[in-house]
Amino acid sequence: MASTAARTYLAFHHNAKLHTLQTVVSAIRPFSALDEANRSLFKQGTDGDFAVVTQATIFHPQGGGQPSDEGIITSSSSSSSPSAAATFRVNAVRMDAVNDGQVLHFGRFNDDSAGIFEIGDTVDQAIDADKRFLHSRLHTAGHVLGAAVRHLLEAEVPGFDELKASHFPDSASCEFQGLIDGKWKEPIQRKLDEYVARAMPVEVDFWDEDDFRRQGLERLIPDRSLAPPGDKFRVVKIVGAEVYPCGGTHVDTTDLCGETKVKKISRSKGTSRVSYTVV
């Protein structure tokens, strides 16, 4: 059931509107047979779970501040029961910690499933579209918030820079270098509201280092180790606001974030965290 699979093609990088995809199983491993580094990626895993690798995936793995997709993978038949379908419920998705570029779909086969997948099986992936849409709203909202804070405070806060972000539903926030006083909460909210209401297009592109330099955005050039040799970096453009190197999923225009609220500004050890939520 194990196989040395190639890198997984990240279909959602090129078309995040895909909610279903037909692909081929390239590896399947019982959870107990995984390397410790990969078992630790799915802490709730048990002996009844598996990790499935496919040639391509529409499932976004957890990373870049965005939670993983969930959903199901089904085959029209299985080797053990050619006339019945095998159904695998995907509970978590992670990048393989051992095999570079592979995506691990963690989960288990339904109790009534007809056997398990075999390498080479054609399968159909289907994500939970409602969760994907929520994650996309939160991710775009985080970038819009970052753009609003930069626009207002880059020249006001000594040492200002954007550091990292979390786009999880229960802990969405953006972290910045520098101390942002609480008095800025309302101005940030107003600028955020403006950007959301303007329905600015959200576009995906692929840039090399020279593209960043041509745009005067050398500060955004990612670590070359984050992309395969020769590949370009994926960027997300909030047209009229900011550009971010980003591998996540997004809504098409900023108004689709919906009502976005700044919850609070907290400060610690020279950094500030602006937490937010979407309604």
Side-chain angles (χ1 to χ4, degrees):
M1 289 191 297
S3 173
T4 303
R7 298 177 65 91
T8 305
Y9 177 76
L10 305 179
F12 63 86
H13 265 186
H14 304 272
N15 185 357
K17 294 187 179 67
L18 288 173
H19 292 167
T20 61
L21 178 73
Q22 188 169 90
T23 184
V24 175
V25 175
S26 52
I28 177 169
R29 308 178 185 102
F31 183 77
S32 59
L34 294 173
D35 293 285
E36 175 59 32
N38 279 331
R39 288 199 302 272
S40 68
L41 297 175
F42 186 47
K43 298 186 184 305
Q44 63 268 46
T46 67
D47 288 346
D49 292 299
F50 288 82
V52 173
V53 181
T54 51
Q55 291 179 2
T57 189
I58 53 171
F59 284 84
H60 183 283
Q62 181 173 306
Q66 181 171 329
S68 77
D69 283 319
E70 298 176 19
I72 59 172
I73 303 176
T74 57
S75 66
S76 58
S77 64
S78 69
S79 298
S80 58
S81 181
S83 64
T87 302
F88 181 77
R89 180 154 299 281
V90 179
N91 296 318
V93 188
R94 301 288 189 274
M95 295 304 300
D96 193 310
V98 177
N99 301 292
D100 187 44
Q102 290 183 22
V103 174
L104 300 177
H105 306 82
F106 289 107
R108 61 176 52 206
F109 290 89
N110 286 356
D111 291 340
D112 59 353
S113 187
I116 65 173
F117 304 145
E118 298 289 345
I119 294 169
D121 280 355
T122 297
V123 293
D124 295 299
Q125 297 180 339
I127 61 168
D128 182 325
D130 290 339
K131 284 188 176 180
R132 162 65 72 81
F133 184 53
L134 174 60
H135 297 166
S136 297
R137 290 175 60 211
L138 282 160
H139 203 145
T140 301
H143 286 341
V144 175
L145 173 61
V149 173
R150 177 175 287 278
H151 177 89
L152 288 171
L153 299 181
E154 186 171 22
E156 300 288 338
V157 174
F160 177 89
D161 200 4
E162 295 180 66
L163 298 178
K164 59 184 180 180
S166 167
H167 310 297
F168 281 68
D170 57 350
S171 59
S173 65
C174 297
E175 189 170 316
F176 304 90
Q177 186 68 44
L179 296 177
I180 300 174
D181 192 273
K183 70 181 182 180
W184 287 103
K185 182 174 181 288
E186 289 307 316
I188 291 170
Q189 182 68 64
R190 287 194 295 272
K191 178 58 68 173
L192 178 59
D193 291 344
E194 175 195 331
Y195 281 173
V196 170
R198 281 169 56 185
M200 294 186 287
V202 181
E203 299 177 353
V204 171
D205 204 351
F206 292 85
W207 287 6
D208 59 21
E209 286 87 342
D210 288 339
D211 292 319
F212 285 95
R213 295 187 184 99
R214 277 192 287 271
Q215 299 294 328
L217 296 172
E218 292 91 342
R219 63 181 173 81
L220 296 180
I221 296 176
D223 185 333
R224 171 40 67 186
S225 67
L226 298 178
D231 278 13
K232 293 186 175 183
F233 298 103
R234 186 175 185 266
V235 298
V236 170
K237 298 185 286 185
I238 311 295
V239 178
E242 283 290 330
V243 176
Y244 292 92
C246 180
T249 65
H250 291 271
V251 293
D252 288 339
T253 54
T254 56
D255 58 308
L256 294 177
C257 295
E259 186 178 2
T260 305
K261 290 293 187 184
V262 177
K263 293 168 65 178
K264 67 176 181 178
I265 301 173
S266 55
R267 295 162 293 279
S268 176
K269 299 179 180 179
T271 65
S272 301
R273 178 178 290 110
V274 182
S275 60
Y276 70 97
T277 189
V278 296
V279 179

